[in-house]
Each structure stands twice: as C-alpha cells, then as structure tokens.
Amino acid sequence: MASSYPPAQLSSPAPAAVADEARQEGFELPAHTSSVARARAHLRSHLLRWGFPEDLGHTAQLVISEFVTNAVLHTDTGRIGCSIHLDGSRLRIEVTDEGTQTRAPQPRSAGPDEVNGRGLQLVGALAQRWGVSARDTRCGRVVWAELGTTG
C-alpha cells in the first residue's frame, strides 16, 4: 500500500553548521619514498575541499611530509596510515607506522653542513603541539601534530 505522505525533503545544512562540523579523513600508503608526495597531495586535496586556508595548508603539508619521511626512512614498516581531523580551530595530523622500534622519534641538532636532521625541529616550531603515542597493538606508533586553523 502506498503512503499518502509526501516524500521527505532533503535539505542542506545551514552554512554555519557546515563550518562548525568536525571533519576527518584517513588513507594508507605503502612505505616508499614516493608516498611522501602522495601524502601531501591527499592532504592538500582534503584541505582544499574543506575550505582550509592555503597558507596554513602549506604548513600542514610540511608536517605530513616530515612524519611520512621519518616513517619510511627510520622504521621497518610496510604500510603508513595517515589521518587528518579538522575540528573548529584545530587541525590534527596523525601518521601511523607498523614498525617494531621502541624508541620514539626525537628532534636532533643538525650541524650547519648537514642536509637532514631539522624536520622535527620545524614541526615543533610550526605546531601548537606534537607528540608520539604507542599504538593499541604491539607494534608501531602514532606521530601527531596539532595546528591552529587561524593565522
């Protein structure tokens, strides 16, 4: 028997509600050096879709590049998980590895002639907060940073 009620009308949320809505995306990549650029591209795409300011997006891309690079070069992981959470005035970037290393990544002091070794110092200078957490499983860790969404 057919209903006599009119079909439900779908409506879009009010613009203010969309702006306040928390957003989250995640993706996985193989632990290859080419994945650093792919992680930046995925992040950029999501942030542009969400209307994130481009200049702050560049900072976010630098952070994810550093985290993915470290996972590729300094762990024995096969896969890297990336997730981004945009909630109000905060963007959280997380990179997860499956490595068996027990030592957390640490900023180090690079010499003036060294090419590498400054990435985590940059993250520390750009992020409101950053850190390393153990995963819920026996192996791997989550390296995360939180960026403010206002200049």
Side-chain angles (χ1 to χ4, degrees):
M1 173 180 259
S3 169
S4 61
Y5 295 104
Q9 296 296 315
L10 299 176
S11 62
S12 298
V18 173
D20 293 336
E21 181 180 303
R23 296 175 176 98
Q24 179 174 325
E25 290 291 336
F27 51 94
E28 275 195 0
L29 299 167
H32 297 267
T33 55
S34 63
S35 292
V36 177
R38 290 175 58 195
R40 277 195 311 268
H42 279 293
L43 175 72
R44 183 176 185 274
S45 171
H46 291 300
L47 295 180
L48 286 174
R49 197 168 344 132
W50 295 343
F52 197 77
E54 189 172 348
D55 58 334
L56 295 174
H58 293 306
T59 300
Q61 289 177 67
L62 187 148
V63 169
I64 204 166
S65 291
E66 177 60 26
F67 289 170
V68 172
T69 298
N70 283 349
V72 168
L73 295 179
H74 303 296
T75 72
D76 57 352
T77 191
R79 304 280 309 159
I80 297 169
C82 301
S83 63
I84 52 176
H85 313 264
L86 181 60
D87 189 4
S89 62
R90 180 178 61 109
L91 174 69
R92 183 175 173 104
I93 300 167
E94 297 179 353
V95 172
T96 306
D97 68 61
E98 305 168 322
T100 57
Q101 293 78 9
T102 57
R103 203 174 68 115
Q106 299 289 320
R108 68 179 184 93
S109 297
D113 295 333
E114 291 182 83
V115 175
N116 298 320
R118 294 174 186 82
L120 291 176
Q121 290 178 345
L122 281 172
V123 170
L126 296 170
Q128 290 178 334
R129 300 181 332 140
W130 79 277
V132 182
S133 306
R135 287 184 53 192
D136 294 335
T137 60
R138 289 183 27 199
C139 297
R141 72 184 129 247
V142 179
V143 182
W144 56 269
E146 294 178 352
L147 305 175
T149 59
T150 57

